[in-house]
Amino acid sequence: MTRDATPLLEREEPQRRLEAALNAARRNHGRLVSIEGEAGIGKTSLVLHFAESHRADARVYVGGCENLATPEPLGPLRDIARDSGGKFSLSGSGQIATFEALLRLLTGGRDPALLVIEDLHWADDPTLDLLRFLGRRIRTAPILVVVTLRNDEAASQSRLASLWADLPRDCRERVELRPLSLAAVSLLAGPVGRIPREVFDATSGNPFHVTEYLATTHSEVPHTVRDATLMRAARLSPRARRALDCAAIFPRRIDEATLRVLAVDTDHAGVEECLRSGMLNVTDSSLSFRHDLARRAIHDAMSPLRRRELHAAALTFLKEHHQGHAAELAHHAEQAGALDDLVRYSAQAATEAIAMGACAEAVAHLGRAISHGVRLSDPERAGLLEQQAEAGEQSGAFDVATAAIAQAMVARKRAHDLPGLGNALRISARLHWQLGRAELAERLLEQALDVMREHRETWQYAMALSGQSQLDMLADRNSSAVKFGHQAMASAERLKRSDIYLHALTNVTAVDSSIDVGAGVAQILSAIEEARRRNEPDFLPRMYTNLVYMMTCDRHYAGLFEHFEAGINVAIARGNAPLEAYMRGTRAIALLDRGSIQQSIAEADTVLCGPYPRGTIRFTAQLALARGRIRIGLPEDGVLDEARALPTSQRDLMRLAPLAVVDAEALWLGLPAPGALERLRAAYDVAHGAQGQRWALAETALWLTILGEPVEKSAELRRRLSPAYRHHVSGEWREAAAAWSKLGCPYEQAIALAAGDEGAQREALALFDQLGAAPAARRLRRMMRSLGVRAIPTGPRSARRNDPAGLTPRQNQVLQLLAAGLSNAAIAARLSMSVKTVEHHVGAVLAAFAASSRLQAVQVARDRGLLEGQGN
């Protein structure tokens, strides 16, 4: 079998960088290199050439993402498993187990491992999670990961942006391929008698376009890859063209034996001709098009009836021979118009996706099953809708989820299925709470329990009891939460439902932690182990969320950041975007409390500007960003508007107290905060009477004291406060400062020291300056001057104080685009964010440079050599 060979022109620098990365991997400095560029730019040719050249001195593994309607979970790993000779297989124990098995494969040899994943722009969420997993572990391993991706498709950019933000910067390298120059095109066009300028103008130097154009014998210039591909295909014999058409219905890899059966190519002549012409390539027993653009051109050129016939034949063959995964079968069923099979395999694909933590893909699969399930019964339709609602909640697709559960309730009512209706009401309650509608959520759950009052032995009723326990826990009704939680656990044990048991156990351990975090941490960790033992990984994100939230609120830092890492990883592994975002936001609060203000702002900014849903899950990130901005002297700029507007913020202590404390700090720093003191006092009163959440009492008492407001000094209050808070509220500044220092909270330590003598105040001033807390430092300097203190340090020079090192990564991107002359709308399009968000970032850039205009900010940055491409 032969095929055309195209030389790699003008790719010396990318090859050099790949070689350097592989050499670094040999020294146990693993890297992830992304080869990027537009479709047809030569990414695959470069990477496969590099991989083939190192098969003798590296262990090479190659997989690719497929252009299925809904991506198949971990498709690249299926390629690797198939080609590994039994050394690796996808684990049935969950996504993390599969990732760890792959890591063992990559680290289990003498030579370095070279892992290639092609077409990352088509990746499913679990494949992106795999790269997150590897990115944190390859820095000290002999592993080079090379991915190819298109960077000219806006739809994939926002998803990939989150991945790049999560990877350690010191292990990731981007290589962008550029079009060929006129000189390179001349080297290709000259030998075949073509006019180089004509070829260059027609193709813009895109290597695939150039190759396809030069392969034709026609004189006219094709304007698209489609035209070039179809002209080459027209030269094939009818048998070869049939084989090519059959190949085109498979999105990526084509099993050679399957293709020959579908193409009725018994003597292999048709497939051989496709290989000789270069229309198809061969790798082991699989075939593929040279480029997916070529495949799509052939596929789209067929008549609708022809496409339908071939997809139907493929579906029949795969079903009869028990080949293909559910996602692939659903793809062919949809194209063939086989509605029953489409519904069946889409639902099956959704179940498989959920098991792999690919909840977003599950939502899409279920959407197809539901929309085409015209013959579904009401209970069947309701079941799919409920599954879609729960997958939508996990992935953050709340609009889809709420619409699905509303339809499910209608279907359950039509079927007179009271337990089913109660369960749908429970799911709806949970969704509405996530959206901040606590009162509606409680009404819906009350209805759920009422509807099922005659069906108390069902699993649906047990789950509703746990749902009530959860709402009570979130509203600080701890006694009720524990009561309903234990009832649910007892029913779950009787029904042998581990999922319900663990859901209720999570509520009960959260209540215990709310009352006593020290004792509660051990209980939550025990519950996490119980969930692992029962093989119920979907509950781990919520358990970790409760764990890190309560530890952060109680300033319980021992092991906290390790728990953040573990919790965020399991949320990613299970496709739970809302809880991933909530934990990231909580980590931003912990970083702020530990004095890492800029790191906190960057983490919060990632959540609020990243691909995460809206609703209550953004609350912790909003708090961290607002307080961080206030502390470094930037305006809050509406960061908390969304949070303040949520109904839960008007009634629940877990929202009331943090919002009141933000306003109190703003007031202390001299910023406008009308009504702040009244809100703080009200939150303190609520916290004082609460059963749990002692941190809310501690924080509100602390800030009342800082603002000079009276706080009772009763023994009961002192008993409920930890040492740092107790000393601070009691006016014992030395003891408070020491306690804050021991905790590792320098901002509060400085506030305590500021209440002391001149020596303590100078120490506080140094701390504020070191933290970059300019407003607090200015406030203290004013106070010291009023007390007659002399020779007060002036603090950082203005130029350093306004240095853009204080910008978040996203704000620095905005600065670079401002320097390029882009408008806010153009920046929004480039960075895949809203214009309003860009306006916030532009405002932050102007404030950081003390600039009154965009032009002035750019000029200051240019003067300091801070724009990309400038020296310092």
Side-chain angles (χ1 to χ4, degrees):
M1 299 178 185
T2 62
R3 62 188 66 85
D4 298 336
T6 302
L8 294 177
L9 298 175
E10 297 183 335
R11 295 296 181 252
E12 293 83 0
E13 176 61 16
Q15 289 185 84
R16 183 195 66 75
R17 293 173 68 180
L18 286 172
E19 293 289 352
L22 184 58
N23 287 334
R26 296 184 198 283
R27 301 190 301 272
N28 290 324
H29 298 303
R31 298 192 66 76
L32 186 151
V33 179
S34 60
I35 306 298
E36 305 178 12
E38 65 184 33
I41 203 67
K43 303 179 293 294
T44 294
S45 297
L46 170 67
V47 169
L48 293 186
H49 174 81
F50 174 74
E52 288 300 322
S53 69
H54 285 287
R55 285 196 179 273
D57 60 357
R59 293 171 296 116
V60 179
Y61 305 97
V62 180
C65 306
E66 300 188 9
N67 187 24
L68 294 170
T70 300
E72 183 180 11
L74 297 177
L77 294 195
R78 300 182 190 278
D79 294 343
I80 294 167
R82 184 167 46 248
D83 297 336
S84 70
K87 296 178 182 177
F88 168 73
S89 62
L90 274 71
S91 172
S93 300
Q95 192 168 296
I96 292 296
T98 296
F99 294 176
E100 291 173 342
L102 178 66
L103 186 61
R104 287 194 296 273
L105 175 71
L106 297 178
T107 55
R110 183 181 60 185
D111 293 327
L114 170 57
L115 172 63
V116 175
I117 298 180
E118 293 189 67
D119 299 323
L120 194 66
H121 46 276
W122 290 326
D124 60 296
D125 286 344
T127 296
L128 299 184
D129 296 343
L130 167 66
L131 294 179
R132 290 185 176 95
F133 177 91
L134 292 176
R136 301 178 188 279
R137 292 162 176 82
I138 64 175
R139 285 182 287 183
T140 58
I143 300 171
L144 172 59
V145 180
V146 181
V147 299
T148 67
L149 61 102
R150 294 181 188 172
N151 59 7
D152 59 345
E153 295 186 0
S156 64
Q157 291 306 298
S158 60
R159 295 179 66 239
L160 294 179
S162 175
L163 169 64
W164 306 141
D166 290 341
L167 292 177
R169 292 186 179 183
D170 61 348
C171 79
R172 195 231 163 175
E173 183 176 357
R174 298 179 62 184
V175 178
E176 185 170 1
L177 301 188
R178 301 295 182 184
L180 300 177
S181 68
L182 177 58
V185 172
S186 298
L187 293 175
L188 298 173
V192 295
R194 294 298 186 90
I195 301 172
R197 171 57 68 180
E198 178 183 295
V199 177
F200 184 82
D201 289 344
T203 63
S204 300
N206 180 290
F208 177 69
H209 290 221
V210 170
T211 303
E212 294 301 316
Y213 177 62
L214 294 178
T216 68
T217 58
H218 300 278
S219 58
E220 68 267 26
V221 177
H223 295 288
T224 64
V225 175
R226 177 181 177 279
D227 293 336
T229 303
L230 293 181
M231 280 188 285
R232 291 188 68 185
R235 300 168 59 191
L236 298 174
S237 68
R239 293 183 64 182
R241 182 55 193 267
R242 175 178 174 81
L244 195 66
D245 286 351
C246 291
I249 68 171
F250 294 92
R252 187 175 170 83
R253 294 173 65 123
I254 310 147
D255 179 75
E256 192 170 349
T258 300
L259 176 60
R260 285 179 167 139
V261 170
L262 292 177
V264 196
D265 188 29
T266 54
D267 60 1
H268 301 184
V271 172
E272 291 289 342
E273 184 179 344
C274 290
L275 291 168
R276 286 194 303 273
S277 70
M279 294 299 293
L280 294 179
N281 291 335
V282 62
T283 304
D284 298 329
S285 62
S286 295
L287 305 173
S288 65
F289 278 80
R290 296 173 60 190
H291 196 289
D292 190 65
L293 290 177
R295 182 198 69 79
R296 286 159 54 187
I298 299 298
H299 184 271
D300 295 347
M302 286 186 276
S303 70
L305 289 177
R306 174 71 168 154
R307 286 198 300 269
R308 184 168 179 152
E309 169 199 338
L310 292 180
H311 279 288
L315 177 64
T316 299
F317 179 86
L318 294 173
K319 286 169 59 179
E320 289 177 351
H321 292 82
H322 305 289
Q323 295 183 14
H325 299 281
E328 184 180 359
L329 291 164
H331 171 76
H332 290 302
E334 183 174 28
Q335 295 290 329
L339 297 187
D340 289 345
D341 281 331
L342 172 59
V343 172
R344 172 189 172 190
Y345 290 114
S346 291
Q348 185 178 326
T351 300
E352 293 176 0
I354 290 170
M356 297 298 294
C359 294
E361 284 73 23
V363 170
H365 283 307
L366 288 163
R368 279 203 304 277
I370 292 162
S371 62
H372 291 93
V374 293
R375 286 189 280 214
L376 291 170
S377 67
D378 279 332
E380 290 171 334
R381 177 175 295 277
L384 293 177
L385 287 163
E386 289 158 3
Q387 193 176 10
Q388 187 183 42
E390 294 192 300
E393 179 191 1
Q394 287 249 108
S395 63
F398 290 118
D399 289 346
V400 174
T402 51
I405 202 62
Q407 295 176 50
M409 287 190 286
V410 172
R412 293 294 186 191
K413 287 177 182 176
R414 277 200 305 261
H416 304 290
D417 179 0
L418 294 183
L421 175 59
N423 190 54
L425 285 162
R426 173 193 62 83
I427 296 171
S428 182
R430 194 171 66 201
L431 285 167
H432 284 291
W433 191 93
Q434 291 270 32
L435 294 169
R437 304 162 188 157
E439 292 182 359
L440 174 58
E442 291 181 353
R443 289 199 302 271
L444 287 167
L445 199 48
E446 183 180 356
Q447 292 176 37
L449 291 167
D450 185 57
V451 160
M452 294 187 289
R453 61 185 180 278
E454 302 299 327
H455 301 274
R456 299 187 182 207
E457 298 304 312
T458 63
W459 70 264
Q460 292 94 334
Y461 186 78
M463 193 68 226
L465 288 173
S466 187
Q468 184 64 61
S469 172
Q470 183 179 10
L471 290 187
D472 287 338
M473 177 268 293
L474 292 166
D476 201 50
R477 297 187 292 263
N478 290 343
S479 299
S480 179
V482 170
K483 180 186 74 173
F484 284 114
H486 283 302
Q487 288 178 13
M489 291 165 68
S491 295
E493 291 286 69
R494 186 174 62 254
L495 294 165
K496 294 181 170 45
R497 288 291 299 263
S498 286
D499 55 340
I500 301 173
Y501 178 87
L502 289 168
H503 188 277
L505 177 63
T506 305
N507 304 330
V508 172
T509 56
V511 168
D512 292 341
S513 292
S514 174
I515 297 170
D516 183 349
V517 174
V521 165
Q523 293 184 39
I524 296 179
L525 290 173
S526 176
I528 287 171
E529 290 308 310
E530 179 77 357
R532 295 189 191 280
R533 185 182 68 78
R534 295 187 182 220
N535 194 27
E536 293 281 3
D538 283 340
F539 291 92
L540 295 176
R542 184 169 165 240
M543 290 177 171
Y544 271 109
T545 298
N546 288 344
L547 175 67
V548 298
Y549 175 78
M550 293 183 186
M551 289 179 70
T552 297
C553 289
D554 202 53
R555 300 183 186 253
H556 192 103
Y557 299 120
L560 173 60
F561 286 91
E562 290 80 3
H563 294 319
F564 273 122
E565 187 75 12
I568 289 170
N569 281 340
V570 296
I572 291 170
R574 302 313 301 164
N576 198 321
L579 293 186
E580 178 196 346
Y582 201 86
M583 280 188 275
R584 287 187 182 279
T586 305
R587 183 163 64 183
I589 293 175
L591 288 166
L592 184 72
D593 289 343
R594 301 283 280 181
S596 300
I597 301 178
Q598 295 297 343
Q599 193 177 350
S600 169
I601 290 174
E603 179 87 85
D605 192 61
T606 296
V607 173
L608 299 179
C609 298
Y612 299 103
R614 305 184 80 81
T616 58
I617 61 97
R618 292 158 56 91
F619 184 73
T620 51
Q622 290 163 341
L623 282 175
L625 184 57
R627 295 190 76 175
R629 290 174 66 89
I630 289 169
R631 285 188 185 180
I632 63 174
L634 295 176
E636 179 200 313
D637 205 17
V639 170
L640 287 174
D641 287 353
E642 179 186 337
R644 295 185 200 278
L646 292 173
T648 50
S649 299
Q650 315 304 318
R651 43 158 269 176
D652 290 346
L653 182 59
M654 64 186 299
R655 306 279 185 253
L656 279 174
L659 288 171
V661 166
V662 173
D663 292 338
E665 184 170 353
L667 181 64
W668 179 68
L669 292 172
L671 299 173
L677 197 55
E678 292 78 4
R679 287 191 294 276
L680 182 65
R681 175 63 68 180
Y684 170 79
D685 290 341
V686 173
H688 200 281
Q691 298 175 4
Q693 300 187 50
R694 69 176 189 179
W695 53 81
L697 176 63
E699 284 288 314
T700 51
L702 172 68
W703 279 95
L704 282 170
T705 301
I706 292 170
L707 291 174
E709 292 295 307
V711 175
E712 63 169 306
K713 304 299 192 296
S714 67
E716 172 61 19
L717 177 66
R718 290 176 61 85
R719 184 189 66 78
R720 295 175 66 183
L721 300 183
S722 61
Y725 290 100
R726 183 168 62 247
H727 291 309
H728 209 138
V729 169
S730 299
E732 301 162 347
W733 65 265
R734 286 189 181 85
E735 293 81 356
W740 287 121
S741 177
K742 184 177 180 181
L743 276 177
C745 298
Y747 191 77
E748 288 78 5
Q749 179 190 356
I751 294 175
L753 288 168
D757 56 27
E758 181 180 328
Q761 290 172 348
R762 290 182 181 277
E763 187 179 346
L765 195 57
L767 276 174
F768 283 138
D769 286 338
Q770 180 182 341
L771 291 170
R778 286 195 296 270
R779 183 185 187 279
L780 179 54
R781 285 187 173 90
R782 287 195 301 269
M783 184 181 79
M784 292 170 72
R785 282 194 294 269
S786 71
L787 294 173
V789 177
R790 297 178 178 275
I792 301 171
T794 58
R797 292 184 298 109
S798 176
R800 288 180 57 203
R801 190 166 59 243
N802 293 323
D803 192 271
L807 296 178
T808 68
R810 181 68 81 176
Q811 289 161 359
N812 192 51
Q813 285 181 304
V814 170
L815 170 63
Q816 305 303 325
L817 296 176
L818 285 176
L822 273 65
S823 66
N824 286 0
I827 294 173
R830 180 76 63 88
L831 299 181
S832 301
M833 60 175 65
S834 71
V835 174
K836 184 172 180 61
T837 299
V838 172
E839 290 172 354
H840 287 314
H841 288 318
V842 171
V845 170
L846 298 184
F849 286 99
S852 59
S853 68
R854 296 153 61 102
L855 182 61
Q856 184 183 3
V858 169
Q859 187 59 53
V860 172
R862 183 175 289 113
D863 290 345
R864 297 178 190 166
L866 296 167
L867 298 180
E868 291 180 0
Q870 283 187 275
N872 289 319

